[in-house]
Amino acid sequence: QVQLVESGGGLVQPGGSLRLSCAASGSIFSINSMGWYRQAPGKQRESVATITRSGSTNYADSVKGRFTISRDNAKNTVYLQMNSLKPEDTAVYSCNAYITTIARTTTGYWGQGTQVTVSS
């Protein structure tokens, strides 16, 4: 079994910062790409940022220059540093990871999601 557990969401004022974390645990052999996605009420889920095992990153245009994704392979953890937050960043943020298990099966796993609310 593999689990992804997110933390770090909350309420922040416009212009503020938050740091999200997502830790993977369980029968992990290796973790390939990891990423953060978000879904606002009434909207489809969208990709926010992704990072490969070697550290190559990709960002949605709407967050470039404000958000930074990083990972600690030794801790099986991915982070999302969010700066200059805007009300339109309000959403449920979920992490995703493509994980190869000890049984050598590769599957995409999702965390439970964490709410980020940007409001004054």
Side-chain angles (χ1 to χ4, degrees):
Q1 283 287 61
V2 172
Q3 280 189 319
L4 299 181
V5 178
E6 298 130 337
S7 61
L11 173 64
V12 63
Q13 291 186 340
S17 298
L18 282 175
R19 188 190 193 210
L20 305 182
S21 300
C22 173
S25 62
S27 304
I28 298 170
F29 176 73
S30 66
I31 301 179
N32 308 305
S33 64
M34 305 182 82
W36 288 95
Y37 296 75
R38 67 186 181 187
Q39 186 167 21
K43 294 187 176 181
Q44 288 190 329
R45 183 165 59 193
E46 63 174 349
S47 174
V48 176
T50 60
I51 185 168
T52 67
R53 183 171 180 82
S54 61
S56 296
T57 59
N58 191 48
Y59 295 92
D61 288 342
S62 59
V63 307
K64 282 180 181 177
R66 299 188 298 122
F67 290 10
T68 302
I69 189 171
S70 62
R71 63 189 284 174
D72 185 332
N73 290 331
K75 296 182 179 180
N76 290 338
T77 300
V78 62
Y79 305 95
L80 186 68
Q81 178 66 43
M82 304 185 293
N83 299 328
S84 302
L85 282 161
K86 304 175 181 180
E88 50 264 43
D89 294 318
T90 296
V92 175
Y93 285 70
S94 301
C95 69
N96 172 271
Y98 279 91
I99 296 174
T100 299
T101 66
I102 293 174
R104 299 302 193 269
T105 59
T106 301
T107 307
Y109 292 87
W110 289 93
Q112 80 284 0
T114 185
Q115 178 69 45
V116 171
T117 302
V118 185
S119 175
S120 55

